[in-house]
Amino acid sequence: MTTPFEGLAINGQRLPSASGHNQPIYNPANNEIITHVAWAGEEDVDKAVQAAHHQFKTGAWRKINSRVRGQLMLKLAQLIR
């Protein structure tokens, strides 16, 4: 069975980790691998922070009022929980 690969979401793309490390995720019912999730390392975090910084400087997020941005982030946190 071919399993999908869930790479790191950086700058709107799915990328493998710089180290190439990933974690298999198993189906508890039959112990088959259902996907692989990339492990982010320091290089990956640096790349994500640089991309976020660039997008903030040049993208639409900067134009949104800071109070609205805060409300959106709180809503995102609520959805994640």
Side-chain angles (χ1 to χ4, degrees), residues 32-58:
E32 287 184 11
I33 296 174
I34 55 177
T35 192
H36 289 82
V37 178
W39 285 16
E42 187 175 335
E43 184 178 338
D44 302 305
V45 173
D46 287 345
K47 186 186 293 185
V49 169
Q50 289 172 5
H53 182 72
H54 175 74
Q55 287 301 320
F56 183 77
K57 287 174 64 176
T58 62

